[in-house]
């Protein structure tokens, strides 16, 4: 982090891991993550639950006023809590202002469009012939919720889609197996007046309970306390998965950016924010393109979130090195690194990273994105990264800038 102003200028005196209280969130698995990146390095497991890591920092800060200038900077302690949670949960924020009727109508309409339609066939088949006014039975609720969850997973894993709600259906964490997760989009009964105890009324009640729990167990104890929000976005998966995947990612980011907007977002409307948290959007895998194209990657992300926050291209562990290749008589910039599973591969984006939403024709040049193996940790210097210092300075300038 030598590029971080507070570190380069010697204003960060000491950093150490701090403990959490016994009633706090589970501890982030730092030791196992570091172990995975040591020796024969492999990527740690992806995030599937909410965890927290606390750091204790001693920093030097300028003292205000004339007397402060005479006395010099003062030393203070800063507690920094880093909360890690599945990104899918952010998609629940726009649901907080959406009724079960509105959400159902939107999701049922989406399920009729490619590439969702073929993956929704089993779930929609389970809906066919059902009477929303029929008495709710646990077996029917469970069957429909399971079919809908499988549909969401297939959309994510097979088609690279991102606008998949509710977010906890893909990563339930402590809510796994809870009965209020037994719901799915349903058409409004004829006449629009569902009977008490009916399938539709029960699913609406479960949906409402889901939103209540989201407010009480995620937003209020965690998100409402954030001083900064860092949203990691894998644009490469969206670009490589085709036009439909990119359009879906664009829609998901637009909804998330609107919800996290410092003024007028859902957190402000719900009165959950002490003050507007700073959103910082980070396009990950910046090491997958040469330095000359990283600005384009950040520009594409800035275009997708509408300028609602700082945007940077980052890599927490830089897996590649810039290089040049000869391609049909011309020199092109590329990156090279170890691909997972062995061997070396040079990687280059033909035509470059688009800075705005590409045309449909752009996706005709589809490419396979390799998975680069992580570098092993240098015992003395740690992991080589790209722009993590800039992310920290943008997120918490009063501490790090």
């Amino acid at each position: 982090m030598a590029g971080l102003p507070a570190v380069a200028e010697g204003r960060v005196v000491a950093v150490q891991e701090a403990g959490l209280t016994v009633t706090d969130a589970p501890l982030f698995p730092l030791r196992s993550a570091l172990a995975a990146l040591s020796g024969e390095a492999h990527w740690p497991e992806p995030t599937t639950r909410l965890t927290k890591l606390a750091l204790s920092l001693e920093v030097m800060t300028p003292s205000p006023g004339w007397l402060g200038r005479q006395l010099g900077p003062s030393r203070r302690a800063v507690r920094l809590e880093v909360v890690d949670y599945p990104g899918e949960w952010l998609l629940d924020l726009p649901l907080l202002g959406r009724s079960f009727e509105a959400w159902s109508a939107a999701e049922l309409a989406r399920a009729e469009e490619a590439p969702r339609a073929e993956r929704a066939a089993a779930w929609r088949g389970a809906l066919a012939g059902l009477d929303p006014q029929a008495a709710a039975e646990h077996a029917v609720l469970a069957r429909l919720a399971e079919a809908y969850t499988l549909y969401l997973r297939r959309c994510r894993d097979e088609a690279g889609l991102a606008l998949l709600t509710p977010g906890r259906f893909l990563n339930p964490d402590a809510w796994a197996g809870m009965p209020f997760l037994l719901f799915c989009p349903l058409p409004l009964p004829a006449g629009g007046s569902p009977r008490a105890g009916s399938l539709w009324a029960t699913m609406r009640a479960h949906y409402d309970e889901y939103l209540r729990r989201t407010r009480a167990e995620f937003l209020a104890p965690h998100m409402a306390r954030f001083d900064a929000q860092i949203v990691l976005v894998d644009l490469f998966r969206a670009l490589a998965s085709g036009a439909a995947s990119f359009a879906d990612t664009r829609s998901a980011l637009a909804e998330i950016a609107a919800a996290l907007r410092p003024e007028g977002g859902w957190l402000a409307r719900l009165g959950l924010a002490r003050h507007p948290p700073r959103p910082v959007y980070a396009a990950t895998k910046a090491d997958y393109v040469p330095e000359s194209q990283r600005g384009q990657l950040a520009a594409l992300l800035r275009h997708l979130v509408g300028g609602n926050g700082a945007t940077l291209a980052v890599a927490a562990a830089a897996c590649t090195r810039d290089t040049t290749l000869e391609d049909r008589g011309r020199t092109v910039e590329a990156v090279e690194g170890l691909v997972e599973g062995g061997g070396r591969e040079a990687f280059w984006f033909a035509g470059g990273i688009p800075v705005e939403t590409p045309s449909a024709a752009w996706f005709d040049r589809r490419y396979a994105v390799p998975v680069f193996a992580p570098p092993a940790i240098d015992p003395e210097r740690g992991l080589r990264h790209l722009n993590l210092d800039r992310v920290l300075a943008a997120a918490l300038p009063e501490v790090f800038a």
Side-chain angles (χ1 to χ4, degrees):
M1 294 290 174
L4 201 60
V7 173
E9 296 167 11
R11 289 185 280 116
V12 175
V13 180
V15 182
Q16 62 182 0
E17 192 175 351
L20 299 175
T21 66
V22 292
T23 58
D24 215 325
L27 189 64
F28 179 82
L30 179 62
R31 301 287 169 246
S32 61
L34 292 174
L37 294 169
S38 303
E40 296 183 7
H42 63 275
W43 291 112
E45 291 299 313
T47 298
T48 58
R49 60 186 304 201
L50 185 146
T51 57
K52 186 183 288 187
L53 175 69
L55 300 176
S56 177
L57 289 74
E58 290 187 40
V59 298
M60 304 298 292
T61 56
S63 301
W66 176 86
L67 181 60
R69 289 193 295 273
Q70 306 308 309
L71 296 175
S74 60
R75 188 165 176 154
R76 69 183 178 108
V78 174
R79 179 179 172 87
L80 176 62
E81 293 185 354
V82 183
V83 180
D84 182 38
Y85 61 89
E88 292 93 341
W89 295 5
L90 284 174
L91 291 167
D92 288 341
L93 297 182
L95 297 187
L96 297 173
R98 200 165 295 164
S99 67
F100 181 64
E101 295 93 322
W103 172 72
S104 291
E107 293 304 323
L108 288 167
R110 283 195 186 100
E112 295 179 358
E113 302 171 354
R116 295 173 185 255
E118 62 178 287
R119 293 166 177 86
W123 166 56
R124 295 174 69 191
L127 286 178
L130 276 178
D131 179 8
Q133 294 279 38
E137 298 179 7
H138 179 82
V140 175
L141 293 169
R143 184 175 78 250
L144 292 175
E146 182 179 1
Y148 181 68
T149 302
L150 180 59
Y151 152 67
L152 294 180
R153 286 180 184 149
R154 290 191 62 194
C155 287
R156 178 191 63 185
D157 299 339
E158 298 173 9
L161 302 186
L163 188 54
L164 305 170
T165 59
R168 291 265 190 164
F169 276 40
L170 295 171
N171 273 307
D173 192 14
W175 293 1
M178 298 295 280
F180 63 83
L181 292 185
L182 300 182
F183 68 89
C184 72
L186 280 182
L188 189 65
S193 298
R195 290 196 297 266
S198 66
L199 179 67
W200 196 94
T202 301
M203 284 200 170
R204 179 174 62 179
H206 287 182
Y207 174 88
D208 290 343
E209 176 65 9
Y210 179 92
L211 298 188
R212 188 192 71 78
R213 296 272 189 128
T214 297
R215 291 186 183 95
E217 299 180 22
F218 176 49
L219 297 185
H222 299 293
M223 185 168 280
R225 298 177 56 231
F226 291 168
D227 294 299
Q229 173 85 259
I230 301 171
V231 182
L232 307 179
V233 184
D234 184 356
L235 292 178
F236 290 102
R237 187 182 186 208
L239 288 168
S241 298
S245 171
F246 188 85
D248 204 66
T249 299
R250 181 183 61 207
S251 298
L253 280 173
E255 293 209 3
I256 289 170
L260 296 179
R261 195 167 54 240
E263 294 182 4
W266 286 114
L267 291 180
R269 294 184 196 180
L270 293 169
L272 291 174
R274 292 175 293 128
H275 53 78
R278 303 182 187 90
V280 177
Y281 298 92
T284 59
K285 299 179 181 175
D287 55 331
Y288 276 49
V289 292
E291 183 178 8
S292 60
Q293 290 195 34
R294 289 169 197 155
Q296 294 168 237
L297 186 62
L300 176 59
L301 182 57
R302 189 179 311 115
H303 168 71
L304 295 178
V305 300
N308 289 320
T311 51
L312 296 160
V314 306
C319 307
T320 68
R321 304 276 180 184
D322 287 9
T323 187
T324 56
L325 298 174
E326 292 297 322
D327 179 42
R328 287 173 288 189
R330 61 191 181 117
T331 301
V332 295
E333 294 178 314
V335 295
E336 64 176 358
L338 280 174
V339 177
E340 248 186 358
R344 295 187 70 82
E345 179 174 327
F347 190 66
W348 174 62
F349 279 89
I353 298 292
V355 296
E356 293 187 352
T357 300
S359 65
W362 188 92
F363 291 97
D364 293 338
R365 303 190 299 255
R366 294 278 288 279
Y367 46 79
V369 179
V371 178
F372 287 107
I377 295 177
D378 185 318
E380 294 184 1
R381 301 186 63 188
L383 277 171
R384 185 173 68 92
H385 65 86
L386 297 175
N387 291 334
L388 281 191
D389 42 12
R390 293 181 62 196
V391 169
L392 284 174
L396 296 169
E398 66 274 18
V399 177
F400 293 113

